[in-house]
Amino acid sequence: MRVLQIVPRLPPPEEGVGSYALCLEQALAVHGISTHFLTPEEGGLARRMEEAEADAVLLHYANYGYQRRGCPFWLPGALRRSRARRRVTVFHEVYATGPPWRSSFWTQPFQRRIAAAVARTSDALITSLDLYVRRIGPAASPEKTWVTPVFSTVGEPREVPPLSSRARRMVIFGGRGARGRAYGEMRRDLADACRALAVEEIVDVGPPLEQPVESVDGVPVRQRDILPAAEVGALLCDSLAGFVAYPELFLPKSTIFAAYCAHGVLPVQAWRRRSPAGGAAPVWSGGDPQEAASAALAWYGGHSLERQVERFRELLAA
């Protein structure tokens, strides 16, 4: 079976959607499914989508990756005209929101219609949040929509050491935005967590920040830049905790959070406002660290890549 994966871009540099697609390619290959990638970077993406020979198309929908204002009007038609027998779409995003002085306020109606058209053209939909199902609307019917948290894009270790054997280290991993928030508006939360967990060092993994951070409340920060997935995984397996500055309700779509959970790291989350209803993903709230880390690992085990790939295979081959 041959699958055509459409993705905004592939690493390098490292980024969530492209890394997700590459991990999925490797997992599908174990089941005898080959993947060919198409990205907008080469130009003529609509034409190449329509002409490519494949049994199934797997579209990774992140609208700003296909058009600068997040309005790829051509995409539903190109997907419909593809030669593939099956069309499956992973909605990593649906549409953006914002105040009237932001362009997203004015483009949102168009983004909504394009997302709904892509959903109607698809035989199956995959997304990480119930919120996205509601945003897509009636086109995301229950019989063709699968909601599941994302998997780790830096591996899934077979054995996870207990926290007691790990360095008293806090990892801050990901893109500039999430890491910048950790050292900026969420800095007090980060400092409080380091103090409560007796953290001795913070290791920063990702592209260089505009303003490098040397320490947080006396805890030194060691910069590691972008690392290969295997090195990130090894670092996580020897670290006590991982910090993520991200809304609690959106954690199921965070590959950073997934990586922490998959490696048995204590996940520490902070945001401007805590959701009164809580979130679906387990985070540390000040109790026993090992109990919280084990709960996060067990939660992740229910939707690991190893488990998800079988469902992807079924949807692509149906």
Side-chain angles (χ1 to χ4, degrees), residues 6-9 15 17 39-41 45 60-72 74-75 93:
I6 314 298
V7 64
R9 65 179 183 272
E15 54 85 35
V17 176
T39 70
E41 296 171 340
L45 180 55
H60 294 272
Y61 191 82
N63 51 331
Y64 282 92
Y66 298 107
Q67 202 275 337
R68 187 170 63 90
R69 296 292 186 183
C71 297
W74 55 270
L75 189 52
E93 305 283 352

Side-chain angles (χ1 to χ4, degrees), residues 13-37:
E14 295 297 322
E15 54 85 35
V17 176
S19 298
Y20 177 101
L22 285 176
C23 287
L24 191 55
E25 174 208 19
Q26 295 165 7
L28 290 171
V30 175
H31 294 270
I33 300 174
S34 64
T35 295
H36 177 65
F37 288 104

